[in-house]
Amino acid sequence: MCLFQVIRKAFTEEKHVSTKTSAADLVTETDRLVEDLIISELRKQFPSHKFISEEATAAGAKCELTASPTWIIDPIDGTCNFVHRFPNVAVSIGFAVHQELEFGVVHHCMEERLYMARRGHGAFCNTQRLYVSKETELSKALILTEIGSKRDPATLKLLLGNMEQLLLAKAHGVRVIGSSTLALCHLAAGAADAYYQFGLHCWDLAAATVIIREAGGIVMDTTGGPLNLMARRVVAAGTRKMATLVAQALQPINYGQDDQA
Ligand code: IPD
């Protein structure tokens, strides 16, 4: 049985669900199984390569991006969706060398859509070339975001305040689909104009960053500076103007850094 069949089969079955950093940060036995399958297969092919992955990090492994060739893996992005059988669930695998993202693949497990990109070679969904939206006005934008795992009142106030600012700027809509990686792929496909989030991880972002850039989009820090993959925050958009407008509307939410946890 291949990886995606493992996920699709488990999707409909009873799951053993545990929590990690908060009551909304979930993991199942399938997350761990899929991660082990991916890493053991890649390790056979590339014994000297390094790995950063969601469940190994949760179990205490170091999350450090060095110059070495490194695979950055989220075995199931959208674990909460997976637990509830809400069909936005993906496997995300990015690859970096010298801290530069080289390629990414994201598989939407329930819809047989494989998003992929290699630096300099364009972005694709199955065989279709992807292009971002060219929208520059916030008042015409469909914006995607995710809620993240913190639920304390101060974080929720900032989170909802950020959404409110974008709605007050008359954005057409703000959507939350429960998978950062898939939301970023929708942006790459031109199905939304911007994405922002505080609290995501490098494994949610790595593969989709290459896909968006190769579809012609911008992925940057919420401060407007270059993306820091470890900083747990991002703004992405089809145009720099849109990314800047979204970034300017946001109040920061501090989640710390993946490599300093
Ligand atoms: C999470 C999902 C969620 C987002 C979190 C991510 P996971 O990934 O993408 O929608 O809000 O920030 O970490 O835990 O399902 O792999």
Side-chain angles (χ1 to χ4, degrees):
M1 206 188 287
C2 81
L3 270 189
F4 311 126
Q5 288 167 325
V6 170
I7 295 174
R8 287 176 78 120
K9 180 168 180 293
F11 185 77
T12 56
E13 292 171 350
E14 273 312 301
K15 301 161 187 80
H16 298 290
V17 183
S18 337
T19 57
K20 297 188 284 185
T21 58
S22 77
D25 188 9
L26 308 181
V27 60
T28 70
E29 70 276 41
T30 309
D31 296 66
R32 296 196 183 101
L33 170 68
V34 170
E35 182 169 305
D36 288 349
L37 287 171
I38 296 170
I39 294 180
S40 60
E41 205 48 50
L42 287 170
R43 206 167 251 144
K44 272 189 231 156
Q45 307 283 329
F46 309 105
S48 65
H49 289 188
K50 293 196 178 315
F51 295 89
I52 292 175
S53 57
E54 179 169 18
E55 306 318 333
T57 304
K62 217 165 160 187
C63 179
E64 188 188 31
L65 186 60
T66 64
S68 305
T70 304
W71 299 86
I72 305 168
I73 300 164
D74 189 341
I76 300 185
D77 187 61
T79 300
C80 182
N81 286 344
F82 178 70
V83 165
H84 292 273
R85 301 181 191 174
F86 188 81
N88 280 338
V89 172
V91 177
S92 172
I93 304 177
F95 182 71
V97 184
H98 296 299
Q99 298 179 325
E100 181 94 52
L101 290 163
E102 291 294 336
F103 63 79
V105 289
V106 173
H107 189 260
H108 188 317
C109 305
M110 312 314 293
E111 293 186 2
E112 293 303 338
R113 287 207 304 267
L114 182 68
Y115 296 89
M116 63 208 133
R118 182 174 164 202
R119 191 157 67 99
H121 291 76
F124 296 85
C125 178
N126 298 336
T127 54
Q128 193 185 344
R129 182 102 194 229
L130 299 180
Y131 297 99
V132 290
S133 131
K134 289 293 161 215
E135 188 53 63
T136 56
E137 289 179 47
L138 216 42
S139 63
K140 292 187 183 156
L142 182 66
I143 300 172
L144 304 176
T145 189
E146 286 297 318
I147 290 173
S149 54
K150 278 199 205 171
R151 294 292 191 274
D152 60 283
T155 299
L156 290 181
K157 194 159 184 244
L158 287 166
L159 180 112
L160 296 172
N162 283 339
M163 244 183 229
E164 187 180 14
Q165 280 311 305
L166 293 165
L167 294 171
L168 287 172
K170 298 195 166 38
H172 280 174
V174 176
R175 302 275 183 272
V176 176
I177 67 164
S179 160
S180 305
T181 274
L182 284 179
L184 288 159
C185 288
H186 284 305
L187 175 74
D193 305 294
Y195 180 88
Y196 72 93
Q197 192 189 344
F198 295 94
L200 77 179
H201 293 278
C202 56
W203 44 80
D204 299 316
L205 192 54
T209 293
V210 193
I211 296 168
I212 292 170
R213 287 180 175 157
E214 286 300 317
I218 304 292
V219 186
M220 66 183 207
D221 192 81
T222 50
T223 58
L227 177 72
N228 174 349
L229 198 59
M230 294 292 156
R232 304 198 62 188
R233 55 185 193 232
V234 71
V235 171
T239 61
R240 183 163 293 278
K241 171 127 190 267
M242 178 66 75
T244 304
L245 289 171
V246 171
Q248 284 168 349
L250 302 176
Q251 289 296 318
I253 306 175
N254 185 11
Y255 269 85
Q257 293 248 144
D258 272 331
D259 52 2
Q260 286 165 23

